[in-house]
Amino acid sequence: MTGIDVGFGDVKVVYMEAGELKYFKMPTAIKYAGNSSSGITEEGIRCFQGREYLVGEQARFGAFSTRSYDFLRRYTGLFVYHALKSLGLETQDVGVGLPLNWFSKKEEFLKELTQTVVDGEKLEIQPKLFPQAVGILMDYRMDIDGKTKEDTTKDGIVLDIGYNTVDVVCFEKGAAVRSDAGTLEKYGISRIIVELADIIYSEFSFQLSEQETKDVFLEGKLRLYGDIKDLSEIIRSITEKYFNELLHTIESRWDSRLKRAEVMLLGGGGAVILNGYMPSALSKIISVPKHPEYSNARGYMKGLRAGL
């Protein structure tokens, strides 16, 4: 059983091998492969829907934009196939996720996923679709065998800070409250990345893709003609502004839930970046899981092991 979280920034995979939990990540990057007639060969080419693509690490430079439902619907199967083949994992039950605001399209999404054919081979999996952010709650509530932890029957709120969206799930006595869940579109950390890309272009006349800019953001520096440009202060300023805006929006919509929460689960790729920016007023209730960027995928795997 494997949990795969195809986010807009990275594809995260969690699986068991010889009784040990394993993690794998690759960028959610895809682009057309070069023309073979040029004589230049490229590794990692996948044939999909009549075209040749580079996927993952090989597509980091010049990758397509990855911030729409149509992108996820069309390419999730390709990313799942590529991840499973890269890891040498055989056909199995796979838990995948979909942002809350698009979960009503789950039947259409699953139909496309189960019809995936890559390199002439059908993707033979039994997929189970979970709402993103609910995966983080399942990760919090269950142990690795899918058994419920007794000390997690609490009231709280989940912030799943992704690349494009922030999914919010409120829970009472450990159970998600469907009527009080929501998605903040275009509030993910892509806002930071886009602003950083604009600054880099303005100051250095250097245009980067979102995937390339994400690498600069994580490293805190830009390599330009052999020189290293320290962007750490610019990045800190952008990040602080973004997080203040995000918290203000969340407080305005879920204020009563926040005030009554016993725990606030902070997961997703954005949790890695933003944990250090949390205001002291929330410090008593914040809970950041181990490897928070993998929390959804780990929750999907635990949900499968629990028979959900």
Side-chain angles (χ1 to χ4, degrees), residues 196-206:
L196 179 60
D198 288 344
I199 291 173
I200 291 171
Y201 182 72
S202 175
E203 294 197 8
F204 304 106
S205 299
F206 192 12

Side-chain angles (χ1 to χ4, degrees), residues 94-148:
V94 174
V96 294
L98 195 62
L100 288 167
N101 57 327
W102 296 326
F103 204 73
S104 61
K105 301 179 181 182
K106 61 182 180 180
E107 297 303 327
E108 174 191 62
F109 182 84
L110 281 172
K111 181 179 179 181
E112 184 98 13
L113 178 60
T114 55
Q115 292 179 349
T116 298
V117 176
V118 183
D119 295 340
E121 179 182 2
K122 191 171 187 296
L123 177 63
E124 295 288 353
I125 60 172
Q126 287 76 50
K128 170 69 178 180
L129 191 61
F130 296 98
Q132 288 180 2
V134 172
I136 294 171
L137 179 57
M138 292 190 298
D139 184 36
Y140 170 72
R141 295 225 60 205
M142 299 177 189
D143 63 21
I144 200 62
D145 295 317
K147 304 290 180 61
T148 302

Side-chain angles (χ1 to χ4, degrees), residues 12-302:
K12 285 81 65 177
V13 184
V14 178
Y15 61 103
M16 297 291 292
E17 185 177 85
E20 183 180 352
L21 203 59
K22 297 287 187 179
Y23 298 93
F24 171 79
K25 181 169 68 173
M26 67 181 184
T28 309
I30 184 173
K31 68 178 182 180
Y32 297 129
N35 189 337
S36 59
S37 64
S38 67
I40 300 174
T41 59
E42 297 173 301
E43 295 182 359
I45 293 176
R46 299 290 187 191
C47 184
F48 176 67
Q49 295 183 351
R51 297 207 63 155
E52 290 187 336
Y53 295 90
L54 292 173
V55 184
E57 290 291 342
Q58 288 79 12
R60 184 180 292 276
F61 297 102
F64 299 164
S65 178
T66 58
R67 285 186 282 157
S68 71
Y69 165 74
D70 286 337
F71 179 91
L72 284 184
R73 177 186 56 80
R74 180 174 181 180
Y75 294 113
T76 289
L78 175 57
F79 285 117
V80 169
Y81 179 95
H82 186 72
L84 293 176
K85 288 295 182 181
S86 297
L87 294 168
L89 298 176
E90 299 298 327
T91 301
Q92 56 189 293
D93 294 328
V94 174
V96 294
L98 195 62
L100 288 167
N101 57 327
W102 296 326
F103 204 73
S104 61
K105 301 179 181 182
K106 61 182 180 180
E107 297 303 327
E108 174 191 62
F109 182 84
L110 281 172
K111 181 179 179 181
E112 184 98 13
L113 178 60
T114 55
Q115 292 179 349
T116 298
V117 176
V118 183
D119 295 340
E121 179 182 2
K122 191 171 187 296
L123 177 63
E124 295 288 353
I125 60 172
Q126 287 76 50
K128 170 69 178 180
L129 191 61
F130 296 98
Q132 288 180 2
V134 172
I136 294 171
L137 179 57
M138 292 190 298
D139 184 36
Y140 170 72
R141 295 225 60 205
M142 299 177 189
D143 63 21
I144 200 62
D145 295 317
K147 304 290 180 61
T148 302
K149 302 176 188 175
E150 292 183 1
D151 60 343
T152 60
T153 309
K154 297 180 179 181
D155 296 343
I157 185 168
V158 179
L159 299 188
D160 179 8
I161 304 174
Y163 187 74
N164 188 48
T165 61
V166 175
D167 284 327
V168 181
V169 169
C170 302
F171 54 96
E172 295 177 358
K173 293 182 170 39
V177 181
R178 180 179 297 182
S179 62
D180 218 355
T183 296
L184 302 176
E185 289 195 55
K186 299 181 181 179
Y187 265 87
I189 60 171
S190 61
R191 290 175 68 144
I192 303 173
I193 303 304
V194 169
E195 185 169 352
L196 179 60
D198 288 344
I199 291 173
I200 291 171
Y201 182 72
S202 175
E203 294 197 8
F204 304 106
S205 299
F206 192 12
Q207 190 162 21
L208 300 176
S209 70
E210 288 188 23
Q211 283 290 340
E212 292 170 295
T213 308
K214 183 161 68 76
D215 292 339
V216 171
F217 175 80
L218 294 173
E219 293 180 9
K221 55 191 176 184
L222 172 69
R223 293 177 176 83
L224 186 63
Y225 297 121
D227 291 332
I228 303 297
K229 308 293 184 181
D230 184 359
L231 302 183
S232 56
E233 286 305 312
I234 292 174
I235 289 170
R236 171 170 285 277
S237 176
I238 296 171
T239 304
E240 287 179 347
K241 182 181 74 171
Y242 159 79
F243 199 36
N244 286 334
E245 292 175 358
L246 174 61
L247 281 180
H248 177 75
T249 302
I250 291 171
E251 286 171 351
S252 67
R253 182 168 171 182
W254 287 281
D255 181 62
S256 62
R257 289 286 184 183
L258 274 175
K259 287 178 177 175
R260 291 184 289 135
E262 296 174 82
V263 61
M264 183 169 77
L265 304 176
L266 187 65
V272 179
I273 297 163
L274 300 177
N275 188 28
Y277 293 90
M278 275 291 176
S280 57
L282 298 175
S283 61
K284 291 183 179 179
I285 64 170
I286 291 171
S287 176
V288 181
K290 183 178 181 181
H291 304 309
E293 69 271 35
Y294 292 96
S295 190
N296 265 313
R298 196 165 51 223
Y300 304 155
M301 189 197 71
K302 290 178 179 180

